[in-house]
Amino acid sequence: MKKELYTKDKTAPKQFLKIAPFKKNIRKTLPHKHNNYFEIVYLTQGKGTHTIDATDYKINSPVIFNIRKEQVHFWNITSEPVGYVLILKKEFIEQCLDLEVKPLIAKLSTHNCLYPVNTDASIFFKLLEDENKKESSVKGAIINGLLKALLAKLLEIPKHTAPKKYLNNIYSAFINNLSSAKNLTNSVTYYANLLHTTPQNLNAICRKENDKTATEILSEYIINEAKRQLIYTDYTVAQIAINLNFKDNSHFSKYFKRHCSTTPAAFRKVNI
């Protein structure tokens, strides 16, 4: 009888981000998946192989491995490893208010294995590890900034030998439009027209790539941008409604409350 594939969870309940040194005693592991999180492994020392979805990658440090939640992987390490493990759960990514973090994660996740030019990314891992241990009112903002810097550093002029797994071009363009838009538009039809496709096809592509409809993905970007403007600007709620292309303040407030279970004004009051 075929054994059930092991699903590993290295996080504690409600721990949405975890960063720690790579365990030096790890040598061989059984094939397993992760419990709904994205894992980044950065090794500056170590030899052996790392298998991701039946493809063997040589551990030729420095090396970066990115394991998505649906992928199966296991280690065969032949010398003492040195490096870091960064775990990002869906909840952390979705709550992140920095506009650039999601696209950076999406871009990094298309590479199973990267061989960077140098090892200075270790500095960012260490800073992020130290900051994550602290308790302060600005901890979230600092972690978001350090994480963005780290992700950008990991993507800096890499030498990769692994075959790229690109996202669907229409999906990538859709995410890029949402990420780079100065003013979001609450209309899937609008973005479908920009991408020269139909709303139905865009929805089907989004479901395949992200298990969400185009409307759900668009809503996430709109709500996150609304939160940014509520927290970090002095715009009135009415002005934010205009900025986000809602027909009026009432429509925007109802939309925000439907997604956040609170009004924009109440959200602002408890977050500034």
Side-chain angles (χ1 to χ4, degrees), residues 12 36 44 69 102 121 123 132 156 175 191 201 207 259-260:
N36 200 30
T44 56
K69 64 179 182 178
K102 274 190 179 181
I123 299 170
N132 197 41
E156 184 182 42
I175 297 301
Y191 289 102
N201 188 47
R207 281 190 179 278
H259 288 279
C260 301

Side-chain angles (χ1 to χ4, degrees), residues 29-42:
T29 63
L30 294 174
H32 61 276
K33 297 173 70 174
H34 292 152
N35 186 20
N36 200 30
Y37 57 76
F38 178 53
E39 183 177 72
I40 301 169
V41 177
Y42 181 69

